[in-house]
Amino acid sequence: MSDFFGSPSSPPPSSSPPASPTSSKRWTVRGVRVSGRQLAATALTAVVALAVFEAVHTVSSPAPTAGHGGAPPGAAASVSGNSGPAAARGMNVLLVGLDARDGVTAQQKAAFHLGGAACHCTDTMMLVHVAENRRRVSVVSLPRDSLTRIPAYTDKKGKAHRSRTAKLNAAYAEGGAALTMRTVEQMTGLHIDRFLPVDFARFMKAVDGLGGLDVCTDRPLKDSATGLDLPAGTTRLSGGRALQYARSRHVDNQADFGRIQRQQKFVVSFVKEIADDGTLRSPARMAILASVLLPETTAVPTERAFTVKDMVLLARDLRNIGLDSLEFSTVPVKGFVTVKGVGSTVAWDAAKSAAVFRAVRADQSLTTATAAMPAGHRTVARRNEFVPVKGSELACP
């Protein structure tokens, strides 16, 4: 990587289709010229640990009561009250990947199979908890088709909507960030401190700004729906190809659960990429990068927005975080449930998921949620299991 104010980054890998922007492009950010690689470093920081900007010192909220809140059969227990659970120790961020295609060019749509209609819903969802002592980051993936009950709400036109049974990803499409956070808070009993949405265009721009990103697989991966075609081994991907990798769910019989595992590996690769470039140790770089990532207006669709100061403090607190300090898992599920008017949904295991979120609320490692784990020790979870894995175990060799 070039020096922060030095020459532009090298272009992305030659295998990258021309539809994806090149990392030699430079952005003018409020009077400062910034390279693509620097922009990506900020986006990555946001993707993984955007939560850490200052310690939260509040009293832990009580664990949710099973069945409370009128949850549908198979859905996780919910917590009543429009204000949501009280904040607990540490910081909780809800990271979502949006199926939104604003800013995606016609060439990119053709090259990376992005020509379908956007649902403007959450295609990916991760609950990111940063420990109060800033020595651990825990990530729990929430399947997009999770069975839930969307709380009653009033839309922007003033129309009142009753609470209803739905898939989790419908919350954003109906009520944006605020309704999504309320829904997840009801399902988990956790207070959401910050919300970070990442759409297709920002995703591709971030990876291209890095000059590409390494992903590894022990067998070839192909998905006709996204156009993904990866050989076994380690491959350097451009932004568009990385998006294909992150979106693909038809490469094995694991469907969305296999995709979740690949997305977690992608996040680890992204973190590893910027861990060595010094970005997190430079307040000046972070201030400029934050001004690239964060909007200049109040257009962010949530009241829980970040500031440049937040991002600088995040960098300070995460400067010594390593891959062994990251842990990943998927919420434990009971199976698939077909609901009339909703379709095939993923039902959480109420008892086991409650154990997971009790550990998060107590600011403890996911490995302490032993009641949620399968009998015997495994480092790879089956699609209905909760098995925490360190980031170092997901990294490419």
Side-chain angles (χ1 to χ4, degrees), residues 164-183:
R164 71 178 186 88
T165 301
K167 295 180 181 180
L168 179 56
N169 68 341
Y172 189 88
E174 293 188 23
L179 187 60
T180 303
M181 287 187 286
R182 285 184 58 203
T183 302

Side-chain angles (χ1 to χ4, degrees), residues 22-101:
T22 63
S23 63
S24 60
K25 179 177 178 180
R26 296 178 71 88
W27 287 264
T28 298
V29 184
R30 302 177 194 176
V32 180
R33 289 172 64 79
V34 183
S35 74
R37 194 178 282 263
Q38 294 144 10
L39 171 64
T42 301
L44 168 2
T45 304
V47 166
V48 178
L50 192 56
V52 186
F53 69 94
E54 59 183 304
V56 177
H57 301 281
T58 54
V59 180
S60 296
S61 58
T65 302
H68 186 65
S78 64
V79 177
S80 61
N82 291 336
S83 60
R89 296 171 59 193
M91 168 66 69
N92 297 320
V93 171
L94 190 60
L95 168 66
V96 302
L98 296 180
D99 185 349
R101 309 178 190 204

Side-chain angles (χ1 to χ4, degrees), residues 16-229:
S16 173
S20 195
T22 63
S23 63
S24 60
K25 179 177 178 180
R26 296 178 71 88
W27 287 264
T28 298
V29 184
R30 302 177 194 176
V32 180
R33 289 172 64 79
V34 183
S35 74
R37 194 178 282 263
Q38 294 144 10
L39 171 64
T42 301
L44 168 2
T45 304
V47 166
V48 178
L50 192 56
V52 186
F53 69 94
E54 59 183 304
V56 177
H57 301 281
T58 54
V59 180
S60 296
S61 58
T65 302
H68 186 65
S78 64
V79 177
S80 61
N82 291 336
S83 60
R89 296 171 59 193
M91 168 66 69
N92 297 320
V93 171
L94 190 60
L95 168 66
V96 302
L98 296 180
D99 185 349
R101 309 178 190 204
D102 299 340
V104 179
T105 68
Q107 189 179 10
Q108 288 173 326
K109 289 179 179 180
F112 306 120
H113 292 221
L114 300 173
C119 69
H120 295 284
C121 58
T122 51
D123 210 32
T124 301
M125 191 173 293
M126 294 181 180
L127 178 65
V128 181
H129 176 80
V130 180
E132 188 172 47
N133 64 10
R134 301 306 184 251
R135 295 179 182 177
R136 184 185 64 256
V137 177
S138 305
V139 180
V140 181
S141 291
L142 311 179
R144 66 173 192 171
D145 292 333
S146 295
L147 178 61
T148 189
R149 191 161 189 88
I150 295 178
Y153 69 99
T154 301
D155 63 26
K156 293 181 179 180
K157 297 181 179 180
K159 182 179 179 180
H161 297 262
R162 294 181 178 179
S163 174
R164 71 178 186 88
T165 301
K167 295 180 181 180
L168 179 56
N169 68 341
Y172 189 88
E174 293 188 23
L179 187 60
T180 303
M181 287 187 286
R182 285 184 58 203
T183 302
V184 172
E185 286 177 340
Q186 286 192 148
M187 297 178 76
T188 65
L190 298 172
H191 175 74
I192 302 301
D193 300 291
R194 288 292 184 269
F195 181 89
L196 175 67
V198 179
D199 61 19
F200 289 173
R202 288 170 59 197
F203 181 101
M204 291 190 289
K205 184 178 291 186
V207 176
D208 280 328
L210 280 172
L213 195 69
D214 288 335
V215 299
C216 48
T217 174
D218 56 4
R219 63 180 183 82
L221 299 179
K222 290 189 177 183
D223 187 342
S224 60
T226 63
L228 178 71
D229 187 359

Side-chain angles (χ1 to χ4, degrees), residues 273-298:
E273 189 75 21
I274 66 162
D276 300 329
D277 69 6
T279 299
L280 297 181
R281 295 179 178 275
S282 172
R285 290 186 182 186
M286 284 304 305
I288 296 174
L289 292 176
S291 71
V292 175
L293 179 66
L294 301 176
E296 296 188 44
T297 68
T298 57

Side-chain angles (χ1 to χ4, degrees), residues 284-323:
R285 290 186 182 186
M286 284 304 305
I288 296 174
L289 292 176
S291 71
V292 175
L293 179 66
L294 301 176
E296 296 188 44
T297 68
T298 57
V300 176
T302 173
E303 72 281 6
R304 306 176 197 183
F306 283 86
T307 67
V308 171
K309 177 183 176 181
D310 297 338
M311 296 296 290
V312 172
L313 290 172
L314 174 147
R316 180 199 67 189
D317 290 345
L318 291 184
R319 63 186 181 275
N320 294 319
I321 285 286
L323 295 184

